[in-house]
Amino acid sequence: MKRLTILGSTGSIGRSTLALVEAAAPGVFGVEVLVAGRDVKALAAQARKFQARLAVVADPSAYPALREALAGSGIESAAGPKAVIEAAARPADWTMAAIVGSAGLHSALAVLQRGGTLALANKETLVCAGEIVLDAAARSGATLLPVDSEHNAIFQALDTKDPALIEKIVLTASGGPFRTADMAVMRAATPEMAVKHPIWSMGAKISVDSATMMNKGLELIEAARLFPVPEARIEVLVHPQSTVHGMVQYADGSVIAQLGTPDMRTPISHCLAWPTRMPVTLPRLDLAKLGRLEFFAPDPVRFPALRLARAALQAGGGAPTILNAANEVAVALFLDRRLGFLDIAVVVEETLSLFGAPAAAGLDAVIALDDAARAAAGRIAALRAAA
């Protein structure tokens, strides 16, 4: 039996992971730890259903409710940021890291430091602290598996680690809800419009990132950390059908692509069963019914987030950390109706300009820079809202 820890069990990735566990043959998977942010009701129900040994809620104020919900079950419970890290450090055969945003960094590092197998769905971990994360994995011999559909596609299509044989890798983007919208529509966009993704079912934050295409910018940075190719050889193409999830072009001209229906259970199952595969009951890809596959270069004017992410990656140092922190602040303010949709990228760009690319050696430096960038982004956003 493969014992599992799921960090972010009540989010969309966590729920999909547990759906795969439930659908698997009895005795294949067992749940060790479940961690959620504050949804005690869902966490307790999951813990009871899957007979987890430990359930942790990140919000300390939710602990009494969790303890009460698990009373008499024999399931351990804990709460708070420290408890989340301790839960991640607890032995398990496989861990899903699906805590949204930079909040997932410490727990992901705890898994890597103990030498575990980490399925990484939290792209901010590699964006904010890529060198630290990769160094921790190398030191402990941990296994890092990419869950994002695009990176998982590249992982599946990559048959060499020799960068000389890889001409480029291609990440695809759906284009989000504003793929064909003009600037006037985007300027007036509401949170309801931005989170209404035409293909994928995702949480609010990642849906807004898809709408701005910052999601693809973060994935660009993540790809540069994960795969042996420089930034200049990572391409992004808009692909409305969301059927081709990633491609690798080799030195001999061959292009190997991974295709599939747009459902996160496919890349999750690939990581869950790796290095083999597991049967999953999903609608199969019908290319004849689909009829066509389209690809376009992204519009740099309507979607400046890609340019900002590439510039941050090129600048190096703490620039990616600043990019991510400012974006998280700006997206949260937009969802709270305190910032315009097009202002998200403006806040990120102004925050990057304010800081430049300072050194960020070590986790403490990354955290301090993240905090400073968040504070600055908040001030910049407030000024824009007041204008």
Side-chain angles (χ1 to χ4, degrees):
M1 179 182 288
K2 183 181 285 189
R3 299 295 300 179
L4 312 177
T5 287
I6 303 176
L7 308 172
S9 67
T10 60
S12 61
I13 296 294
R15 291 175 188 270
S16 293
T17 304
L18 288 172
L20 290 167
V21 170
E22 184 177 17
V28 175
F29 302 114
V31 175
E32 182 71 22
V33 177
L34 295 175
V35 174
R38 60 181 64 88
D39 191 345
V40 167
K41 183 177 179 181
L43 174 63
Q46 289 175 339
R48 285 180 175 275
K49 180 175 183 178
F50 292 93
Q51 299 181 317
R53 293 180 180 172
L54 170 66
V56 180
V57 62
D59 182 355
S61 67
Y63 181 57
L66 177 63
R67 187 173 52 194
E68 181 180 351
L70 293 176
S73 68
I75 299 169
E76 298 176 59
S77 60
K82 184 179 179 182
V84 172
I85 298 169
E86 291 173 349
R90 188 164 167 154
D93 299 312
W94 186 94
T95 300
M96 169 61 78
I99 296 175
V100 175
S102 60
L105 172 59
H106 287 88
S107 54
L109 271 174
V111 178
L112 296 174
Q113 287 166 347
R114 66 169 166 80
T117 295
L118 181 71
L120 186 62
N122 171 303
K123 61 178 59 65
E124 292 84 1
T125 293
L126 280 175
V127 171
C128 296
E131 292 182 7
I132 297 169
V133 169
L134 296 176
D135 181 65
R139 286 176 180 272
S140 67
T143 299
L144 186 60
L145 302 172
V147 175
D148 267 353
S149 60
E150 297 81 5
H151 300 98
N152 185 263
I154 301 301
F155 184 63
Q156 293 191 49
L158 204 58
D159 66 5
T160 179
K161 293 185 178 180
D162 184 352
L165 299 178
I166 304 169
E167 206 161 271
K168 66 178 177 179
I169 64 175
V170 180
L171 305 174
T172 59
S174 70
F178 305 131
R179 178 176 61 84
T180 60
D182 60 29
M183 294 293 282
V185 170
M186 296 170 73
R187 187 172 293 109
T190 64
E192 290 78 13
M193 294 165 63
V195 301
K196 195 174 181 181
H197 197 282
I199 301 291
W200 296 93
S201 176
M202 305 180 292
K205 194 269 182 183
I206 193 171
S207 294
V208 174
D209 282 348
S210 178
T212 63
M213 288 196 72
M214 181 59 83
N215 188 43
K216 212 53 50 178
L218 298 175
E219 288 174 8
L220 170 72
I221 297 171
E222 188 180 9
R225 314 286 200 209
L226 285 169
F227 306 117
V229 293
E231 168 268 325
R233 285 193 269 154
I234 304 174
E235 184 178 353
V236 174
L237 289 177
V238 176
H239 171 50
Q241 291 79 21
S242 292
T243 299
V244 178
H245 303 297
M247 296 177 273
V248 181
Q249 181 169 308
Y250 291 94
D252 62 0
S254 298
V255 178
I256 298 179
Q258 189 270 341
L259 288 75
T261 52
D263 192 306
M264 282 305 298
R265 284 174 292 179
T266 298
I268 294 170
S269 70
H270 179 260
C271 293
L272 191 56
W274 187 88
T276 183
R277 292 180 185 266
M278 60 187 286
V280 179
T281 304
L282 288 174
R284 284 347 193 204
L285 183 62
D286 187 337
L287 288 173
K289 183 178 180 181
L290 187 64
R292 64 180 181 178
L293 300 174
E294 300 171 292
F295 301 92
F296 310 98
D299 183 343
V301 176
R302 290 185 301 124
F303 299 103
L306 274 175
R307 168 179 57 82
L308 296 175
R310 199 175 283 275
L313 178 57
Q314 292 169 344
T321 303
I322 296 164
L323 174 94
N324 179 73
N327 180 65
E328 287 192 16
V329 169
V331 169
L333 291 171
F334 167 70
L335 288 170
D336 200 31
R337 305 179 195 277
R338 294 158 60 193
L339 191 69
F341 179 76
L342 291 180
D343 287 331
I344 295 172
V346 175
V347 168
V348 173
E349 185 162 24
E350 291 186 7
T351 307
L352 282 167
S353 297
L354 180 66
F355 283 87
L363 187 57
D364 288 343
V366 168
I367 294 169
L369 184 58
D370 179 87
D371 289 342
R374 287 172 188 276
R379 292 193 297 270
I380 292 168
L383 289 173
R384 291 200 66 79

